[in-house]
Amino acid sequence: MKKIIFSLFIFHFSFLSLAQDIHFTQFNVNPMLLNPATVGFINCDYRLTSQYKNQWRSFTVPYVTIASSGELRLMKGAGQKNALGLGLLLNTDRAGDSKLSQTQVGFDAAYTKALDPFGIQYFGFGILGSFNLLSMDRTYVVFDDQYNVNSTQITPTSSEVFMQNTSF
């Protein structure tokens, strides 16, 4: 019965999360982007990773994505099999003429426990909290209502409504 209640609890909260991942082809290079529970589950005391992607260079302004992360293994216990880890994740993504950009700063904590004395099976729990900032430069964007069908002129103002608070 406890397993069913726990499963329903996790299933319920999985629909309440609001997230958008930064996309990389080599996503397995940065384990913190894969799973927050991997923080501190390393064979060394710390790990630093970084990734850079420059996409669609034929556009006027190509898409550029940069991700960096660092993690520490703080606690080692039970014959070096259990671990407590802390991590920091920094991402930035800039796209297109509007300079639509997303900046993310995240803090991660994880605990990994060995389930057997040989260190073959593990249970890990991790949590990642982050601050995201979205921004864009509206002066370089043209919307449908700015086109005049009777001439080739573009009206300088648009009736598009934007949120003023772009951090979440």
Side-chain angles (χ1 to χ4, degrees):
M1 185 64 182
K2 288 182 182 180
K3 290 181 182 179
I4 294 172
I5 292 173
F6 180 72
S7 298
L8 289 174
F9 177 78
I10 296 296
F11 181 74
H12 173 72
F13 280 104
S14 67
F15 289 107
L16 296 178
S17 67
L18 300 172
Q20 175 63 46
D21 292 337
I22 292 179
H23 306 291
F24 286 107
T25 304
Q26 300 290 327
F27 57 87
N28 56 341
V29 174
N30 193 341
M32 284 181 68
L33 292 174
L34 281 176
N35 185 353
T38 62
V39 171
F41 189 61
I42 50 181
N43 292 329
C44 51
D45 292 331
Y46 65 92
R47 174 171 45 192
L48 302 173
T49 60
S50 65
Q51 290 176 282
Y52 174 81
K53 179 178 78 169
N54 190 344
Q55 182 179 358
W56 298 338
R57 294 188 59 168
S58 62
F59 280 19
T60 55
V61 179
Y63 289 34
V64 175
T65 306
I66 301 169
S68 297
S69 66
E71 59 186 287
L72 294 172
R73 184 174 181 166
L74 295 178
M75 180 186 81
K76 301 173 191 172
Q80 307 291 330
K81 292 185 178 55
N82 300 339
L84 174 67
L86 293 178
L88 175 67
L89 180 66
L90 305 168
N91 296 324
T92 183
D93 188 27
R94 181 170 280 189
D97 291 329
S98 67
K99 298 178 184 171
L100 176 65
S101 65
Q102 175 183 0
T103 303
Q104 177 185 23
V105 177
F107 300 98
D108 196 347
Y111 179 73
T112 305
K113 171 124 180 86
L115 297 177
D116 62 358
F118 306 109
I120 296 172
Q121 297 178 347
Y122 292 91
F123 176 77
F125 175 81
I127 188 164
L128 172 67
S130 66
F131 175 78
N132 294 316
L133 176 67
L134 294 172
S135 65
M136 70 180 278
D137 189 353
R138 291 178 276 176
T139 60
Y140 294 106
V141 181
V142 178
F143 296 98
D144 290 341
D145 63 346
Q146 291 178 274
Y147 288 105
N148 187 347
V149 293
N150 298 325
S151 70
T152 59
Q153 300 290 328
I154 296 175
T155 58
T157 58
S158 173
S159 61
E160 295 291 329
V161 178
F162 295 96
M163 294 184 333
Q164 294 302 317
N165 184 5
T166 58
S167 60
F168 56 94

